[in-house]
Amino acid sequence: MGKYLFFVMALLLSACGSNGPEEIKLNSDHCDFCKMTISNGKFGAELITQKGRVYKFDDLLCMISYAKTNTTVPYKSHYVGDYTKENKLIPAEKCFYVKGGIIKSPMGGNFAAFTNSKEQNEFQQKYNAVSMTWSEVYSSIK
Amino acid sequence: MKKLLSILFLIGFICLGNAKVITVGKNSAIKKIKKALEIASDGDTIIVDGGYYSEGNIRIDKKVTFIGKNYPILDGKHKVEVLSVNADYVTVKGFKIINSGHASLEDPCGIKVYDQKNVVIENNILDNNFFGIYLQNSTNCIIRNNNLRAYGKGEQLIGNGIHCWKSNNLKIIGNKIMGHRDGIYFEFVTESLIQKNISNNNIRYGLHFMFSNDDSYVGNVFKGNGAGVAVMFTKNVKMINNHFEQNWGDSAYGLLLKEISDSYIFKNTFSKNTSGIYMEGTSRIKVEKNVFSANGWGMKIQASCMDNVITQNNFLGNTFDISTNGSLVLNTFNSNYWDKYEGYDLNRDNVGDVPYHPLSLFAVLTENTPSAMLLFRSFMITLLDKSEKVLPSITPENFVDKTPLMHSLPL
């Protein structure tokens, strides 16, 4: 009984658009900016508008380019794929970033996002890349 | 001149005279491939007998011809890159290469060519590798008649079949590629030819171009991929005689064109795709003598496209022939055959006397509001569609074929 209740609750919650990100369906969802099929969750990104519409991207570059060219609707939240996981979205503003080196993302943004600065440092050295903050990442794309 | 020639011949003979043939196998003196490579010198031929070899990463750094007899198996045991080619004029032929390592950044491959010229890779079987064949910074290479197979599933990360990066003058001919992420991927590759390949059931694209100018692909089959072919951020590509088939799915296309210009699409078949061609930011493209049959949408042309010419194509049995998302029309449609055309031809010149508006009202509505599809084939919509054909109000008026053909073209 408890199982069913949980299931019903989960259904209800997902139906009324919870605050979290919507999972990217790899190899099926396409990028709303470049139209490519999203196949690598490590570099995925997601944008949610105030009204709750979800846009998905295959590269952080695509999300920021999209956000900057479509400014009529206010955005509620940005998410990026956690580089250390296969396909998990985390809030973009709280992430630690590295860019460049040997990192190659689908559309050449070449950003990787991490949840803590320890991972950031570790991968920055390993990949010969540059550390960045969210605001630096955001302003680096025109 | 004659003297020069004879000297050249002489040099040739000396080289030939020195070239050895080294045999590797159970019954030969040399049992290991690595040992053979160690004692080989430039110009030698190494023949490997059938059998099973697992020697870790094998690095070819001499100009050798490397031939497998009865498909010897080279196993990477999911740990290493199997063959690395680090010399020019290398030929790799007749091997079965399996189980390369898996990683997301180092891209371990079945066969990888590093910064070389004139490498030939032919008649190999590549099975269950992360990337199949990878050319990096290479010139004048041929990849011919290889059979590549991987078993990518939705969740698992998988590499591309034939991946070419920063290369030019390549020939990719007669390969069969299945189950990879992209069948063939071209990134910064110029002046190359992709011909007679069969790229089926790959997870993302059958063929994918990024920033790769002046290439052609001719006579290939792309069937049942996530989406057929994507040509993006590219100029001057010739697409001739290809089949785009059964690329079904929410975001699937037969051919996706994005930011591309000055290209030619000639005599291709687009059949049973969600959309035959999807174009965005595309300009100066000629689409001539193609067949669009049984697609959801024949072509989707976004308003950001301009100066494209669509002429002498057959549109047969598509749910919608053409769709667009704006009112701006900067493209020309002339002399196509549309099976939905209901006009007449009084002067019998085989050209319809009434212009044809290929855009259906409904195609335009669903472009902006996909859920409106629910009303498709309802009575009201059919009525609206008919009246829209007579008096366009929502669909752009100049979106028109002024010389529609009465009979389909023999293509």
Side-chain angles (χ1 to χ4, degrees), chain A residues 84-125:
Chain A
T84 58
K85 307 271 173 16
E86 279 307 320
N87 185 20
K88 185 173 183 284
L89 291 163
I90 45 180
E93 291 86 354
K94 290 181 194 154
C95 286
F96 298 84
Y97 296 88
V98 304
K99 177 190 164 68
I102 55 168
I103 298 170
K104 269 190 1 206
S105 68
M107 288 299 291
N110 303 341
F111 297 103
F114 304 95
T115 45
N116 57 57
S117 58
K118 189 171 151 267
E119 284 172 350
Q120 182 190 31
N121 287 333
E122 194 183 305
F123 280 93
Q124 182 236 320
Q125 272 156 25

Short mmCIF file of all heavy atoms in Angstrom, two decimals, chain A residues 84-125:
data_model
loop_
_atom_site.label_atom_id
_atom_site.label_comp_id
_atom_site.label_asym_id
_atom_site.label_seq_id
_atom_site.Cartn_x
_atom_site.Cartn_y
_atom_site.Cartn_z
N THR A 84 31.61 14.39 -13.07
CA THR A 84 32.05 13.13 -12.48
C THR A 84 30.96 12.05 -12.55
O THR A 84 31.19 10.90 -12.21
CB THR A 84 32.44 13.32 -11.00
OG1 THR A 84 31.31 13.86 -10.32
CG2 THR A 84 33.60 14.28 -10.86
N LYS A 85 29.75 12.44 -12.97
CA LYS A 85 28.67 11.46 -13.10
C LYS A 85 28.34 11.27 -14.59
O LYS A 85 28.76 12.06 -15.43
CB LYS A 85 27.42 11.95 -12.36
CG LYS A 85 27.67 12.33 -10.92
CD LYS A 85 27.49 11.13 -10.04
CE LYS A 85 27.86 11.32 -8.59
NZ LYS A 85 28.01 12.64 -8.04
N GLU A 86 27.58 10.25 -14.88
CA GLU A 86 27.23 10.01 -16.28
C GLU A 86 26.19 11.00 -16.80
O GLU A 86 26.29 11.53 -17.88
CB GLU A 86 26.74 8.57 -16.48
CG GLU A 86 27.86 7.55 -16.59
CD GLU A 86 28.90 7.88 -17.65
OE1 GLU A 86 28.52 8.36 -18.73
OE2 GLU A 86 30.10 7.67 -17.39
N ASN A 87 25.13 11.19 -16.02
CA ASN A 87 24.06 12.06 -16.51
C ASN A 87 23.28 12.61 -15.32
O ASN A 87 22.19 12.18 -15.02
CB ASN A 87 23.14 11.26 -17.44
CG ASN A 87 22.08 12.14 -18.06
OD1 ASN A 87 22.21 13.36 -18.11
ND2 ASN A 87 21.02 11.52 -18.53
N LYS A 88 23.90 13.57 -14.61
CA LYS A 88 23.23 14.14 -13.45
C LYS A 88 23.34 15.65 -13.53
O LYS A 88 24.43 16.19 -13.72
CB LYS A 88 23.90 13.64 -12.16
CG LYS A 88 23.20 14.10 -10.91
CD LYS A 88 23.80 13.42 -9.68
CE LYS A 88 23.08 13.79 -8.42
NZ LYS A 88 23.39 15.14 -7.93
N LEU A 89 22.20 16.32 -13.39
CA LEU A 89 22.20 17.78 -13.51
C LEU A 89 22.31 18.43 -12.14
O LEU A 89 21.67 18.00 -11.18
CB LEU A 89 20.92 18.25 -14.21
CG LEU A 89 20.84 17.87 -15.69
CD1 LEU A 89 19.41 18.00 -16.19
CD2 LEU A 89 21.79 18.72 -16.52
N ILE A 90 23.15 19.47 -12.05
CA ILE A 90 23.34 20.20 -10.80
C ILE A 90 23.18 21.70 -11.07
O ILE A 90 23.39 22.15 -12.19
CB ILE A 90 24.73 19.89 -10.19
CG1 ILE A 90 25.82 19.95 -11.29
CG2 ILE A 90 24.73 18.52 -9.54
CD1 ILE A 90 27.20 19.67 -10.80
N PRO A 91 22.80 22.48 -10.07
CA PRO A 91 22.57 23.92 -10.29
C PRO A 91 23.84 24.62 -10.78
O PRO A 91 24.89 24.53 -10.15
CB PRO A 91 22.16 24.44 -8.91
CG PRO A 91 21.70 23.24 -8.17
CD PRO A 91 22.49 22.08 -8.69
N ALA A 92 23.74 25.30 -11.90
CA ALA A 92 24.91 25.87 -12.55
C ALA A 92 25.61 26.94 -11.73
O ALA A 92 26.83 27.05 -11.73
CB ALA A 92 24.51 26.44 -13.91
N GLU A 93 24.83 27.73 -10.99
CA GLU A 93 25.41 28.86 -10.25
C GLU A 93 26.33 28.40 -9.14
O GLU A 93 27.23 29.10 -8.72
CB GLU A 93 24.31 29.75 -9.66
CG GLU A 93 23.50 30.53 -10.69
CD GLU A 93 22.33 29.73 -11.25
OE1 GLU A 93 22.23 28.52 -10.92
OE2 GLU A 93 21.54 30.28 -12.02
N LYS A 94 26.09 27.17 -8.64
CA LYS A 94 26.88 26.70 -7.49
C LYS A 94 28.07 25.84 -7.91
O LYS A 94 28.76 25.28 -7.07
CB LYS A 94 25.97 25.88 -6.58
CG LYS A 94 24.94 26.72 -5.86
CD LYS A 94 24.12 25.83 -4.95
CE LYS A 94 22.87 26.58 -4.49
NZ LYS A 94 21.79 25.63 -4.16
N CYS A 95 28.28 25.70 -9.23
CA CYS A 95 29.31 24.77 -9.68
C CYS A 95 30.69 25.41 -9.77
O CYS A 95 30.84 26.61 -9.82
CB CYS A 95 28.96 24.23 -11.05
SG CYS A 95 27.64 23.07 -10.98
N PHE A 96 31.68 24.53 -9.84
CA PHE A 96 33.07 24.93 -10.06
C PHE A 96 33.45 24.43 -11.45
O PHE A 96 33.19 23.28 -11.78
CB PHE A 96 33.96 24.32 -8.99
CG PHE A 96 33.60 24.79 -7.61
CD1 PHE A 96 32.58 24.18 -6.89
CD2 PHE A 96 34.28 25.85 -7.02
CE1 PHE A 96 32.23 24.62 -5.63
CE2 PHE A 96 33.94 26.29 -5.75
CZ PHE A 96 32.92 25.67 -5.05
N TYR A 97 34.08 25.30 -12.24
CA TYR A 97 34.29 24.95 -13.64
C TYR A 97 35.76 24.86 -14.03
O TYR A 97 36.60 25.55 -13.46
CB TYR A 97 33.64 26.01 -14.55
CG TYR A 97 32.15 26.05 -14.40
CD1 TYR A 97 31.55 26.85 -13.44
CD2 TYR A 97 31.34 25.26 -15.21
CE1 TYR A 97 30.18 26.87 -13.29
CE2 TYR A 97 29.97 25.27 -15.06
CZ TYR A 97 29.39 26.08 -14.10
OH TYR A 97 28.05 26.08 -13.94
N VAL A 98 36.05 24.02 -14.99
CA VAL A 98 37.34 24.11 -15.69
C VAL A 98 37.04 24.12 -17.18
O VAL A 98 36.02 23.62 -17.64
CB VAL A 98 38.31 22.95 -15.35
CG1 VAL A 98 38.57 22.86 -13.87
CG2 VAL A 98 37.81 21.64 -15.87
N LYS A 99 37.96 24.75 -17.92
CA LYS A 99 37.75 24.86 -19.37
C LYS A 99 39.05 24.58 -20.11
O LYS A 99 40.13 24.91 -19.63
CB LYS A 99 37.28 26.28 -19.72
CG LYS A 99 37.12 26.51 -21.22
CD LYS A 99 36.89 27.99 -21.50
CE LYS A 99 37.10 28.34 -22.96
NZ LYS A 99 36.15 27.82 -23.90
N GLY A 100 38.94 23.99 -21.28
CA GLY A 100 40.08 23.84 -22.18
C GLY A 100 40.93 22.62 -21.89
O GLY A 100 40.43 21.61 -21.42
N GLY A 101 42.22 22.73 -22.16
CA GLY A 101 43.10 21.58 -22.03
C GLY A 101 42.67 20.48 -22.98
O GLY A 101 42.42 20.75 -24.14
N ILE A 102 42.57 19.27 -22.46
CA ILE A 102 42.17 18.19 -23.36
C ILE A 102 40.67 17.91 -23.29
O ILE A 102 40.19 16.93 -23.84
CB ILE A 102 42.97 16.90 -23.09
CG1 ILE A 102 42.82 16.49 -21.62
CG2 ILE A 102 44.43 17.07 -23.42
CD1 ILE A 102 43.32 15.09 -21.36
N ILE A 103 39.92 18.79 -22.63
CA ILE A 103 38.47 18.58 -22.56
C ILE A 103 37.85 18.90 -23.91
O ILE A 103 38.09 19.98 -24.47
CB ILE A 103 37.84 19.47 -21.48
CG1 ILE A 103 38.41 19.12 -20.12
CG2 ILE A 103 36.32 19.33 -21.47
CD1 ILE A 103 38.03 20.08 -19.03
N LYS A 104 37.06 17.98 -24.44
CA LYS A 104 36.38 18.23 -25.71
C LYS A 104 34.89 17.98 -25.56
O LYS A 104 34.47 16.86 -25.38
CB LYS A 104 36.95 17.33 -26.80
CG LYS A 104 38.10 18.01 -27.50
CD LYS A 104 38.68 17.44 -28.73
CE LYS A 104 38.38 16.31 -29.48
NZ LYS A 104 39.28 15.63 -30.30
N SER A 105 34.10 19.03 -25.63
CA SER A 105 32.65 18.87 -25.51
C SER A 105 32.00 18.90 -26.89
O SER A 105 32.62 19.33 -27.85
CB SER A 105 32.10 19.97 -24.61
OG SER A 105 32.21 21.22 -25.24
N PRO A 106 30.76 18.46 -27.00
CA PRO A 106 30.15 18.30 -28.32
C PRO A 106 30.19 19.54 -29.22
O PRO A 106 30.41 19.42 -30.42
CB PRO A 106 28.70 17.94 -27.99
CG PRO A 106 28.78 17.28 -26.68
CD PRO A 106 29.88 17.96 -25.94
N MET A 107 29.97 20.72 -28.67
CA MET A 107 29.96 21.90 -29.53
C MET A 107 31.17 22.81 -29.30
O MET A 107 31.17 23.97 -29.66
CB MET A 107 28.67 22.71 -29.33
CG MET A 107 27.46 22.04 -29.93
SD MET A 107 27.57 21.79 -31.71
CE MET A 107 27.49 23.46 -32.30
N GLY A 108 32.19 22.28 -28.68
CA GLY A 108 33.43 23.02 -28.54
C GLY A 108 33.45 24.08 -27.45
O GLY A 108 34.31 24.94 -27.44
N GLY A 109 32.48 24.02 -26.51
CA GLY A 109 32.53 24.93 -25.36
C GLY A 109 33.65 24.50 -24.42
O GLY A 109 34.32 25.32 -23.81
N ASN A 110 33.84 23.19 -24.34
CA ASN A 110 34.91 22.58 -23.55
C ASN A 110 34.92 22.96 -22.07
O ASN A 110 35.97 23.15 -21.48
CB ASN A 110 36.28 22.87 -24.17
CG ASN A 110 36.35 22.40 -25.62
OD1 ASN A 110 35.56 21.57 -26.04
ND2 ASN A 110 37.29 22.94 -26.36
N PHE A 111 33.74 23.08 -21.48
CA PHE A 111 33.63 23.32 -20.04
C PHE A 111 33.29 22.01 -19.34
O PHE A 111 32.53 21.22 -19.85
CB PHE A 111 32.49 24.30 -19.75
CG PHE A 111 32.67 25.67 -20.33
CD1 PHE A 111 31.98 26.05 -21.46
CD2 PHE A 111 33.52 26.57 -19.72
CE1 PHE A 111 32.14 27.31 -21.99
CE2 PHE A 111 33.68 27.84 -20.25
CZ PHE A 111 32.99 28.21 -21.39
N ALA A 112 33.86 21.84 -18.16
CA ALA A 112 33.43 20.73 -17.31
C ALA A 112 33.03 21.31 -15.96
O ALA A 112 33.70 22.22 -15.45
CB ALA A 112 34.55 19.72 -17.15
N ALA A 113 31.95 20.80 -15.38
CA ALA A 113 31.44 21.36 -14.12
C ALA A 113 31.58 20.35 -12.98
O ALA A 113 31.39 19.15 -13.17
CB ALA A 113 29.98 21.75 -14.30
N PHE A 114 31.92 20.86 -11.78
CA PHE A 114 32.09 20.00 -10.61
C PHE A 114 31.35 20.58 -9.42
O PHE A 114 31.10 21.78 -9.37
CB PHE A 114 33.57 19.88 -10.26
CG PHE A 114 34.39 19.37 -11.41
CD1 PHE A 114 35.03 20.25 -12.26
CD2 PHE A 114 34.47 18.01 -11.66
CE1 PHE A 114 35.76 19.78 -13.34
CE2 PHE A 114 35.20 17.53 -12.73
CZ PHE A 114 35.85 18.42 -13.58
N THR A 115 31.02 19.70 -8.44
CA THR A 115 30.27 20.20 -7.30
C THR A 115 31.16 20.82 -6.23
O THR A 115 30.67 21.56 -5.39
CB THR A 115 29.46 19.05 -6.64
OG1 THR A 115 30.33 17.93 -6.54
CG2 THR A 115 28.25 18.71 -7.46
N ASN A 116 32.44 20.50 -6.21
CA ASN A 116 33.29 21.10 -5.19
C ASN A 116 34.66 21.50 -5.75
O ASN A 116 35.07 21.02 -6.82
CB ASN A 116 33.45 20.16 -3.99
CG ASN A 116 34.01 18.82 -4.42
OD1 ASN A 116 35.09 18.76 -5.01
ND2 ASN A 116 33.27 17.76 -4.15
N SER A 117 35.35 22.35 -5.04
CA SER A 117 36.60 22.90 -5.56
C SER A 117 37.73 21.87 -5.55
O SER A 117 38.71 22.00 -6.26
CB SER A 117 37.01 24.14 -4.79
OG SER A 117 37.15 23.81 -3.43
N LYS A 118 37.58 20.84 -4.72
CA LYS A 118 38.61 19.80 -4.67
C LYS A 118 38.68 19.07 -6.02
O LYS A 118 39.74 18.90 -6.60
CB LYS A 118 38.28 18.82 -3.54
CG LYS A 118 39.37 17.84 -3.24
CD LYS A 118 39.07 17.05 -1.98
CE LYS A 118 39.69 15.68 -2.07
NZ LYS A 118 38.80 14.65 -2.60
N GLU A 119 37.49 18.68 -6.50
CA GLU A 119 37.44 18.03 -7.81
C GLU A 119 37.91 18.97 -8.91
O GLU A 119 38.61 18.58 -9.84
CB GLU A 119 36.00 17.58 -8.11
CG GLU A 119 35.58 16.35 -7.36
CD GLU A 119 34.09 16.05 -7.52
OE1 GLU A 119 33.35 16.89 -8.06
OE2 GLU A 119 33.70 14.98 -7.07
N GLN A 120 37.52 20.23 -8.76
CA GLN A 120 37.92 21.23 -9.76
C GLN A 120 39.44 21.28 -9.89
O GLN A 120 39.98 21.18 -10.99
CB GLN A 120 37.37 22.59 -9.35
CG GLN A 120 37.67 23.70 -10.34
CD GLN A 120 37.32 25.06 -9.78
OE1 GLN A 120 37.40 25.28 -8.56
NE2 GLN A 120 36.92 25.97 -10.64
N ASN A 121 40.12 21.38 -8.74
CA ASN A 121 41.59 21.46 -8.76
C ASN A 121 42.21 20.21 -9.35
O ASN A 121 43.13 20.28 -10.18
CB ASN A 121 42.13 21.65 -7.34
CG ASN A 121 41.86 23.05 -6.84
OD1 ASN A 121 41.75 23.97 -7.65
ND2 ASN A 121 41.72 23.19 -5.54
N GLU A 122 41.67 19.09 -8.92
CA GLU A 122 42.19 17.81 -9.36
C GLU A 122 42.14 17.70 -10.90
O GLU A 122 43.13 17.39 -11.56
CB GLU A 122 41.31 16.75 -8.72
CG GLU A 122 41.82 15.34 -8.73
CD GLU A 122 40.75 14.44 -8.10
OE1 GLU A 122 40.33 14.73 -6.95
OE2 GLU A 122 40.32 13.51 -8.78
N PHE A 123 40.94 18.00 -11.47
CA PHE A 123 40.78 17.86 -12.92
C PHE A 123 41.49 18.98 -13.69
O PHE A 123 41.92 18.78 -14.82
CB PHE A 123 39.30 17.82 -13.28
CG PHE A 123 38.70 16.47 -13.06
CD1 PHE A 123 38.08 16.16 -11.86
CD2 PHE A 123 38.78 15.49 -14.04
CE1 PHE A 123 37.55 14.92 -11.64
CE2 PHE A 123 38.24 14.23 -13.83
CZ PHE A 123 37.62 13.94 -12.62
N GLN A 124 41.58 20.14 -13.05
CA GLN A 124 42.27 21.24 -13.71
C GLN A 124 43.72 20.86 -13.99
O GLN A 124 44.26 21.09 -15.07
CB GLN A 124 42.19 22.50 -12.84
CG GLN A 124 42.82 23.73 -13.45
CD GLN A 124 43.89 24.31 -12.55
OE1 GLN A 124 43.72 24.35 -11.33
NE2 GLN A 124 44.97 24.74 -13.15
N GLN A 125 44.34 20.20 -12.99
CA GLN A 125 45.73 19.78 -13.18
C GLN A 125 45.83 18.61 -14.16
O GLN A 125 46.65 18.61 -15.06
CB GLN A 125 46.33 19.38 -11.83
CG GLN A 125 46.94 20.57 -11.13
CD GLN A 125 47.02 20.36 -9.63
OE1 GLN A 125 47.07 19.22 -9.15
NE2 GLN A 125 47.02 21.45 -8.88
#
